[in-house]
Amino acid sequence: MGEMNNRNKWNHWSLKVIVFYVFISLLAPVISNDLPLLRIYQGEWSFPFLNQEQEYNFSEKTIDGGFEIHAPFGYSSGKSDPLNMSFRGPFDHQLAQNKKGELVEIPLMKRHWLGTNLLGSDLLADILYGTRVSLFISVIATLLASVLALFLGFLAGWFGPTSLKISAVKMLLIFLLFIFWVHLLLNVESSAEGWLGWGVSLFVFIFMMKILAKRKMDVIANVKIFIPIDAIFLRISELFSAIPRVILVLAFIQLLSASLLSIILLLALSAWVDLARIVRAELQSIKSMTYVDAAVMSGIHGARLLLIQILPNIWPTVLVFMLYTFAGNIAIEAGLSFLGFGVPATVKTLGGLISEGKNNFEAWWMIVFPGLWLSVLIYSMFCLSDRLRKTEN
Amino acid sequence: MLRTMKKINLVLLVHLSLFLTLSCGSKKKVDVTVESGNYIELGAPSVFLDSWSKENEVVIHELNEPDNLHPCNGTSQVRSEMFLYLHGSLLRTDLRSGTVQPGICKSMPEISKDQLDLIFDLREDIKWDDNTLISPDDVIFTVKVAKNPGTNNAAFKPYFDLVEKVERVPNSATKVLIRMKKVYVQNVALWADYPIIQKSFYDPKNVLDQFSFEQFNDTNFHVDQFNDLNEWSTNFNSPPYGFDAKLISGLGPYRLKEWQQGQLLVFEKKKNHWSDKSKVYAEKSYPNKLIFKVNKDAISTQLAFLKQEFDASTSLSSRGLIEMKSDSMFNQNYHGRFVDVYGYTFIALNTKPELSNNALALSELEVRKALASLTPVQPIIDVVCKGVNKPVVGPVARMKGSYNSDLHLILLDVKKANEIFDAAKWNERDKDGVRVKMIDGKKVRLELELAFLSTTPEWREMALMIEASMKQAGVKVNLNMTDLQTWLDKGTSHHFDMIMGSWNSSALPEDYAQLWATSSWKENGLNFSGFGNEKTDAIIDSLAVTMDESARLGMEKRIQAEIYSEYPYIFLYGLVRRTAIHRRFSGAELYGERPGVLFNMFKLSSIGVKTSATP
Amino acid sequence: MMSRLIKRFLQTLVSLLLLVLFSFFLSRVLPGDPAKYILTFNNSQVVSSAEGRAKCYEQQYRQMGLHLPFFYFSLESILLPDSFIHLPDNDFKFLLCSLSYYSGSPRLSYSLAKKIVANKENEFLVASFQRVGVSRAVDDLLANRDVTEIDEKFLIDLSQLKSDHENQYWKRWIPSIRWNAENQFHLWCFGGRLDGSGFVSKGIVRGDFGKSWTRGGDVFEMVKFPFLLTLFLSVFVLLVTFPLALITGGWLVFYQRKWYAKIQKPLFIFTYSIPTFWMGTALLLFFANPRMLDWLPSASPVLETKNGFGSWFLSLVSQAEYLIIPLFTLGYSTLIYLSQMVFELLKDELQKPYVLTLRAVGSSERKIIFYYSMKNILVPVIVSGMSVFPLLLGGSVIIDFLFTMPGMGSSMLQACDQKDFPVISGILFVSGLVTMLSFALTDLFTSQVNPLIRQSNFKKNG
């Protein structure tokens, strides 16, 4: 029964849609590309779309007698079609040059099915490549956020308010090490010197720890202090949940430069709170269960216990929330690009396409198609997480 | 006799202006439009439509509100434009002729033989709001405030450092003498459009009287040592003096009535103002109210214009204006005009690269030449600018007399560029098709960075077109979108390969020193590209002191030819101002000079005004 | 009850402290030099001479109090004499000591030196630094500067430092924590006045977030009314959607067997999936466009801000038609979220045994859903309603951008465009503050409403 259920719960149209999106974005260069996918020329096989730069040389040679396979849609994202600039709609007249150099109505195979933007770049290609970027950002950000959330949630949930104790002397040592490292970072800029200091201090630190671990030192090492890890977690998570995400990301993107990396980091940093809270709550309820006790009794400790015994049990809940976070990340990333603060301006994303359309609202296709495409993606994620949640219950 | 030269303030165009010439606007019969050399007068409407508002007030669209309306401590462009309505100044820029003309003084100043003393004779019809006449003391006070080390006008201090002292002229109630520290071409122009403020209003306790110009000139003078001055300065610098309608007072025909921050400013016409009797055209003021509304969003601005919620704008987006002009409703209600202004867009090339290895290529004239022929100027104008702008050959605007028409536009020609590259031994290609050459034993790739501003999408679109075009001849362009500060830092510190931007100038004689003198490059000024040699410096120096127009003309054409032959810049196109003005007004004039339109000259068309009996 | 109140209060206080540190961090850890930025922004680069620019820079630098250490504690090497750290407000001395401090080391990295100079002095010095190297630059500076300006103790310390540097190189490895009574954080947080530099602040505890870099005005004054508008819209949306969600949810459960109740869910969730900015754009183009349906205004309302809160509010209410599209755009997702939640919770609630009893007793279905069950699900709905609050505040960014509303979002976007960090950190702080307070209030409120929470709490405390 359980197995049936497990198989059934994934059997849903929304998963298929998401897989379709992922598939399409992974294969975007094959689906839509202005370069041939395969070329057999003078008995040599080559895949021009893989190394776009080398194609540069080829265009000067003749291609008589060669054989080429082209992508189904013959345009790359961001490459302008000089004959169809200035917003050609899907139903407008689109032009092409025939072999004699005359301007004619574009052949059906070469049509811009979803229209073009100002510079004549094909909207269909832009959407495909834009989905790729949006998905990439959101997937990485969600994974990062989940790792962070699991770590913090585990820490807070497992130790609770009082059970994390550390020897006071060790604490002091860690503190001193920390101070020294910050000092190196701030005041000793010469990198060779910094690395030397870093290594030496780490060595001294480990040495001291080893000494502390000796029996004779028990008296000192046993003076312990609590670390209220749960309270710290709650306060930090309150801070992060209190500041609106958009505002948080907008504020900090001004400190970093606009790049894929910084947007991923900021999305991850602002997305971990809800998931971490769920993990903490699950862990609190699971901690007192008998099988955990049994595991502890049998000598399973620390990370192993958490990963092998506990994670599989809270995994379904985590998964549902990861999907929510994922959908949220996609929406926020699109919103930021729409506002013009997301990824670098030369990178196409779905939000960026919509904002291009918003500034030229005669070009309805620039608004409608990316918007619908994005909505369907988010919708299927909600449906999938809904489905997972229900089958879990 | 005096012909002055106004300081040529090169203002960075944060908002890229794009677009067209006047001749394209079809002239309709209802408009009697006069186009004289420097300006266009928009005529009166023949009918007054029912849907038009009959309020005698002008609602003006602004992209930004001023940073403040403090008479000294502010820097924004909008602020100085609004000061035209709020304040009076010793001299004013005459927009019709593009020259400096007397403002609140009877004539241009008398200049002493040593060229250091300027004597202004104040007009006797000019009154403050409390009905007192303007006196030399007010001028003295204004300069003292500007020179006071306690005043937070860091941006203006360097200009006022040029002033040694200001004093009354003995035996005259109207004359005031300004003594400058050294002979400088801008000594007179400094006084144009700088607001004169009332002493009794801003300093009723006469605090500043206790301090002399000698003290303020002394670098060891510290405001902290004088309690009353410190207190006065702190008070004067405080925000209310820049925002509170009650604390802003000036000689202009309008006063600030209310300011809802981030939204709108309302200027109200003063009753029985001295300017009512004035005979100078620019001093006339007709509307009862000027309402400046801030709206940054292109789409809702456009919708608001379709609904006649605005009367005028000088800062529409060009695409928006083109789109609206295709709407008959809009044309029925508005004059939509593109006016050429004295500015241009460019790509500066780093001719003296220090850091980047690849940029070494740019030190070769042939490479710069080839890049210029690879720049798709006309396609950019057609696609990005919708054909509104005109290409330029040099830093001088087309409508100026000093424009060197002997120079030819550099057209997009990939074949020619390839030939130039090959001739300059750039014929080797890397694997990816990028040209390479060995320079001093190092392999240099023709891979260049193009930095541009993030302010408007147009820059990015242009950069993409340039990238695609240059790729055709084996030049790889990496795009780098920056904010204003990084952009300026890159330019002034010479850490760039190619940098795209625009400069704004004015109708007044050009000062080439800021952009083209070698000293400006050495001092990290605005000469980004490192253009210049002894010969050009000599021309620039003599241009700075030559007042005679025919002598200037030859020199200006020569410097343009020099710039043209060296290719420090790739010149793209001249800027235009995008204006829309409601047809219910007559008397509006469009100028190439900033701010482009004087709203106080708008007359509500008499056809529509019903003579209603006022109780 | 009292102890819970105090505990919650203390918790909120700790979170607030974190928020203060966070905002301070944001306002100080900047990519560039703020003084230089302000001058650039205000076109002072047009002042062509390097000397003129240096002068502007110095004035600006002092006006902003940038010469102070950041925080109460600072980490320095013990090599640095005390007198250098507790220098009076004289950044020139600070520069000198930094320069000579590092000049002894041949391994000095050029980038560090440049960093110090860029932070502490003008570009003038950077240039001389690049040209002649560090030690020459120090000597040049000493020669150029009037020696009477530098006090005796400083000179002695300087020579001591130079000899220390040669003899006791190891000392620079030893950190020491120093106490700074006068620092940027203290001024920023609690306010104060710096003699000689003209830097005055009331501190954020008195609502002074500093001055905007680009507009010079007081950040609090700039942000006050925009924030109020956003707060008003968000609270309004919450107040309206909450009862509406209860009604919709209850109604959906009541008619759950009808066909239109069956298709509602995918329909609602699809609407929920539509990004806010897309929905807003579509609404604007449909309902406020003279070429489509010219029903609603497209421009923003003009709000009276000069005469206090009352007239502001009146002007807002009198222009209510301007708020219709924005409110809808802001609220539709909240409404769907809450009503779906009510729907799910109610459905679960109806499975419970007490409902069976009620039905047996003969209570009407309507009463069971809208009274008995509704009462039980109220608390979780309130809690998740409040968790939407920060989303609504954040949503104002999109709303303001689309409809040019004079709200917090447009202030934020403008500040981001201009990198106006005092405004950015001010907005971050205020929005965080309001949300934290609302969280605390919800906690207290729900513990009052729901006896279960109160009881468990009582048990724990007991």
Side-chain angles (χ1 to χ4, degrees), chain B residues 40-335:
Chain B
I40 311 151
E41 192 184 334
L42 300 175
S46 54
V47 282
F48 198 95
L49 299 181
D50 290 339
S51 66
W52 294 359
S53 161
K54 295 184 181 69
E55 293 290 331
N56 188 15
E57 55 189 36
V58 189
V59 184
I60 300 141
H61 163 240
E62 291 284 352
L63 281 178
N64 295 299
E65 64 175 359
D67 52 349
N68 58 43
L69 286 177
H70 194 286
C72 300
N73 311 349
T75 44
S76 66
Q77 187 66 45
V78 194
R79 169 180 168 274
S80 62
E81 286 171 12
M82 288 184 177
F83 274 8
L84 296 177
Y85 312 109
L86 296 176
H87 288 285
S89 51
L90 289 173
L91 305 173
R92 64 182 177 81
T93 313
D94 185 75
L95 295 174
R96 278 187 182 169
S97 62
T99 55
V100 174
Q101 296 292 333
I104 59 167
C105 39
K106 289 170 188 156
S107 58
M108 294 303 286
E110 288 171 41
I111 296 181
S112 64
K113 282 232 173 87
D114 60 1
Q115 300 205 20
L116 290 175
D117 291 347
L118 313 173
I119 296 175
F120 289 93
D121 194 359
L122 300 175
R123 270 156 68 174
E124 280 152 70
D125 60 332
I126 302 213
K127 286 175 182 161
W128 295 102
D129 293 353
D130 58 6
N131 238 355
T132 52
L133 276 175
I134 182 167
S135 88
D137 288 342
D138 294 317
V139 180
I140 297 171
F141 173 71
T142 305
V143 182
K144 252 189 196 170
V145 171
K147 282 184 76 81
N148 171 16
T151 310
N152 283 346
N153 56 343
F156 286 96
K157 281 265 150 62
Y159 295 119
F160 282 92
D161 271 349
L162 302 170
V163 183
E164 188 177 331
K165 63 181 176 184
V166 185
E167 59 193 20
R168 274 170 168 269
V169 173
N171 309 327
S172 167
T174 56
K175 286 189 178 173
V176 59
L177 181 148
I178 297 177
R179 185 166 176 81
M180 311 301 286
K181 281 181 185 158
K182 56 183 180 188
V183 182
Y184 189 54
V185 280
Q186 298 184 354
N187 276 353
V188 172
L190 179 62
W191 306 102
D193 300 329
Y194 188 82
I196 301 298
I197 54 178
Q198 189 179 12
K199 187 181 164 202
S200 58
F201 183 87
Y202 284 101
D203 187 16
K205 290 184 195 152
N206 297 330
V207 176
L208 257 67
D209 278 357
Q210 302 159 26
F211 300 91
S212 65
F213 282 101
E214 284 82 45
Q215 280 172 298
F216 288 163
N217 281 332
D218 181 4
T219 45
N220 291 323
F221 179 83
H222 288 294
V223 186
D224 308 340
Q225 296 157 358
F226 304 93
N227 269 336
D228 43 356
L229 182 63
N230 201 1
E231 200 178 301
W232 182 87
S233 308
T234 312
N235 186 33
F236 184 67
N237 289 333
S238 66
Y241 279 90
F243 295 96
D244 191 343
K246 290 187 205 86
L247 293 176
I248 295 170
S249 163
L251 282 171
Y254 291 87
R255 72 161 64 86
L256 177 66
K257 184 160 175 260
E258 61 169 317
W259 182 349
Q260 312 294 356
Q261 274 182 29
Q263 306 173 51
L264 89 171
L265 293 99
V266 179
F267 290 2
E268 183 186 47
K269 187 166 161 32
K270 293 172 184 169
K271 287 197 178 99
N272 301 324
H273 191 253
W274 59 264
S275 65
D276 295 345
K277 289 170 203 144
S278 166
K279 291 195 176 64
V280 183
Y281 75 98
E283 286 175 359
K284 292 281 183 200
S285 49
Y286 303 104
N288 291 330
K289 270 183 191 170
L290 302 178
I291 301 169
F292 298 90
K293 271 194 186 178
V294 180
N295 192 341
K296 282 190 166 175
D297 182 65
I299 202 167
S300 69
T301 304
Q302 215 167 318
L303 293 176
F305 264 96
L306 293 178
K307 294 180 188 184
Q308 305 188 48
E309 283 166 14
F310 284 120
D311 285 324
S313 174
T314 54
S315 43
L316 289 163
S317 79
S318 9
R319 269 173 225 164
L321 185 52
I322 288 177
E323 208 170 278
M324 287 197 288
K325 277 175 73 120
S326 65
D327 186 312
S328 62
M329 280 244 289
F330 176 82
N331 287 328
Q332 206 171 37
N333 299 330
Y334 291 93
H335 303 274

Side-chain angles (χ1 to χ4, degrees), chain A residues 52-54 56-57 60 78-80 85-87 118-119 340 344-346 348 356 358-362, chain B residues 297 299 302 319 323 383-384 386 429-433 457 460-461 464-465 471-474 479 481:
Chain A
Q52 304 210 352
E53 299 298 347
Q54 289 207 9
Y56 197 88
N57 283 333
E60 291 176 0
K79 287 213 181 136
S80 94
M85 283 182 160
S86 309
F87 299 109
L118 178 87
L119 297 181
T346 41
K348 297 253 179 197
E356 256 181 68
K358 191 226 164 203
N359 290 332
N360 306 280
F361 65 83
E362 295 297 292
Chain B
D297 182 65
I299 202 167
Q302 215 167 318
R319 269 173 225 164
E323 208 170 278
V383 173
V384 180
K386 302 285 172 208
R429 295 261 188 151
D430 244 1
K431 241 191 212 166
D432 54 358
R460 187 173 62 90
E461 289 154 7
L464 285 169
M465 290 182 73
K471 201 178 171 186
Q472 294 174 48
L479 304 184
M481 191 159 95

